[in-house]
Amino acid sequence: LQITDCRLQITDCRLQITDYRLQITDNRLQIIDNRYFMEPQLNAHNKVEFPPMHTAEHILNGTMVKMFGCPRSRNAHIERKKSKADYELAQAPTEEQVREIENRVNEQIARNLDVTIEFMTRDEAAELVDLSKLPADASETLRIVRVGDYDNCACIGAHVKNTSEIGTFRILTHDFADGRWRMRFKLENCPYVE
């Protein structure tokens, strides 16, 4: 993606950029001309996820927070074929609630929501998202991933551009022990093309 002949004014930083070339490549924003260069410094990511599954996890996290008031998953293992996520809950969800989770995730996928990225400072992000899982050595500039109007999260992973690329979300199994509800899930009929 390359944006040219753009005017951008950042007032909170008292920085005005006019008639510069903006370029976003490999999840990095660059503002370039012969005199000026700025690039947000983000932490390296240790794994490349399957974008549809990782984006489905964002929707799942948003659903769990909305339904149960719990934190986002504290431990997730996201893979192409099947994934798992752990949630801190006082009790196990009923079978009816498990089906409701699956239905709500699929409702959001079916909305064909755009997945967008925004860069902001930690202070700005703290007003929008939960930063409790953020590593201590995370950069000052954070990458916020938005799944339409449904979910916002600081994340450096790979995502689809639109939820229409995800397919159908299915919960395979789940168990509960010591305040931890673990669920395993997969995607069916995923149309995503790499």
Side-chain angles (χ1 to χ4, degrees):
L1 172 66
Q2 184 170 340
I3 304 170
T4 57
D5 299 321
C6 180
R7 295 182 188 275
L8 171 67
Q9 184 173 357
I10 303 171
T11 56
D12 291 343
C13 298
R14 292 184 174 83
L15 170 66
Q16 184 173 347
I17 303 169
T18 306
D19 296 325
Y20 284 79
R21 191 179 70 192
L22 303 179
Q23 186 175 19
I24 301 172
T25 54
D26 298 324
N27 299 322
R28 297 181 319 178
L29 171 66
Q30 297 177 339
I31 301 169
I32 306 169
D33 84 344
N34 292 336
R35 299 172 289 132
Y36 186 77
F37 176 82
M38 180 180 86
E39 178 178 339
Q41 296 298 309
L42 302 176
N43 293 62
H45 193 43
N46 61 356
K47 183 178 180 187
V48 176
E49 298 97 352
F50 182 53
M53 189 69 85
H54 185 70
T55 308
E57 181 211 2
H58 280 259
I59 298 170
L60 171 62
N61 279 321
T63 300
M64 293 298 292
V65 170
K66 288 170 178 54
M67 282 183 68
F68 298 97
C70 64
R72 298 176 78 83
S73 173
R74 291 296 176 191
N75 183 30
H77 187 77
I78 307 301
E79 296 294 335
R80 180 182 295 265
K81 291 185 180 180
K82 69 177 181 176
S83 298
K84 67 180 177 181
D86 293 348
Y87 294 92
E88 297 171 1
L89 298 174
Q91 61 190 30
T94 64
E95 287 303 318
E96 184 177 314
Q97 288 173 316
V98 172
R99 292 303 127 224
E100 180 67 16
I101 294 165
E102 187 176 271
N103 289 339
R104 286 190 186 191
V105 170
N106 282 315
E107 286 170 8
Q108 296 309 311
I109 292 169
R111 287 179 62 204
N112 297 335
L113 300 170
D114 286 331
V115 179
T116 58
I117 295 168
E118 182 178 346
F119 295 92
M120 61 181 66
T121 67
R122 279 184 191 231
D123 290 341
E124 292 169 324
E127 295 178 21
L128 181 67
V129 300
D130 176 12
L131 298 179
S132 63
K133 285 177 55 176
L134 197 66
D137 65 343
S139 61
E140 175 59 29
T141 301
L142 300 180
R143 180 177 181 251
I144 305 300
V145 175
R146 297 177 188 265
V147 181
D149 60 357
Y150 193 72
D151 186 66
N152 301 310
C153 181
C155 184
I156 57 175
H159 305 84
V160 296
K161 292 180 174 135
N162 186 283
T163 59
S164 64
E165 300 176 78
I166 294 175
T168 305
F169 175 86
R170 292 285 177 241
I171 296 175
L172 301 172
T173 62
H174 57 94
D175 58 77
F176 182 79
D178 301 321
R180 188 247 332 130
W181 183 62
R182 174 170 289 170
M183 52 93 66
R184 293 156 197 88
F185 59 97
K186 71 175 184 174
L187 300 178
E188 297 174 344
N189 305 313
C190 179
Y192 179 78
V193 178
E194 293 185 67

